[in-house]
Amino acid sequence: MAKQARSLRTHELVLDAAAAEFVRHGYPRANLQHVAARTGLTKGALYAHFASKEELARALTEHLDQVVDELLARHKDSDLPANEQLRALCCALAERVESDVRFNAALRLVMDEAQSAPETPRLPADLRALAAEGDDGVTEPLSSESLADLAVVILVGAYYTAPDPERRGLAERVRGLWDAVDGRQAVEETGTL
């Protein structure tokens, strides 16, 4: 039993070390020797837990999917208008990036892969679905699709322009961008500055 618990702790340690490596270097430049060094394992011992870099990345992206599902469920059942649901979801995602290195790494992996993938990544598709479900006409002058695109731009733009790989301050930046958008929408609705 003690061996099983130690193996599980090592497995978790490897995931955290791999996440830190992916956050800093992305998938192509991530080095499993650095992951092994961070954990104090030999490369052979590392491979006993994960057979490849791809398997490590897959474990992290599965974590991302699980967290996104949880956050979507929490924000989808809200009575808020679509724009407020998307704002709350984007802020929650940004907070998770800051507090969860595995989530941060998986988001980077997914966004990096999306640049060459033929299909839309899951997260933007989920945001579009949330916007469409919550579309109640309150989001004028934006369509639900444009609102979802705006949410992606705010989240991804703030993520990629963050000053450090840990994305410290990301949630605050995302909130600030939503505040700027909300201020512009208020100006358009009232016609005054």
Side-chain angles (χ1 to χ4, degrees), residues 83-84 87 175 177-187:
N83 62 327
E84 290 299 319
R87 176 193 176 108
R175 276 189 209 87
L177 290 167
W178 275 105
D179 287 346
V181 168
D182 288 345
R184 176 168 168 76
Q185 191 169 1
V187 167

Side-chain angles (χ1 to χ4, degrees), residues 89-112:
L89 178 60
C90 283
C91 290
L93 291 167
E95 288 166 2
R96 195 60 182 254
V97 165
E98 287 185 76
S99 66
D100 182 347
V101 69
R102 294 179 192 180
F103 186 84
N104 185 351
L107 189 58
R108 174 163 183 183
L109 290 168
V110 167
M111 289 190 305
D112 287 353

Side-chain angles (χ1 to χ4, degrees), residues 6-33:
R6 188 174 66 232
S7 178
L8 185 57
R9 281 193 308 273
T10 302
H11 184 86
E12 296 298 312
L13 184 65
V14 169
L15 281 173
D16 287 340
E21 183 73 6
F22 286 131
V23 162
R24 288 211 167 275
H25 304 290
Y27 184 85
R29 295 184 332 166
N31 184 318
L32 291 186
Q33 187 62 46

Side-chain angles (χ1 to χ4, degrees), residues 17 29 34 36 43 57 64 71-73 76 90-91 97 99 101-102 114 117 145 149 154 178 184 189:
R29 295 184 332 166
H34 295 159
K43 209 168 173 185
L64 173 91
L71 292 174
L72 271 171
K76 194 185 282 188
C90 283
C91 290
V97 165
S99 66
V101 69
R102 294 179 192 180
E145 187 171 297
D149 288 344
I154 287 174
W178 275 105
R184 176 168 168 76
E189 289 170 3

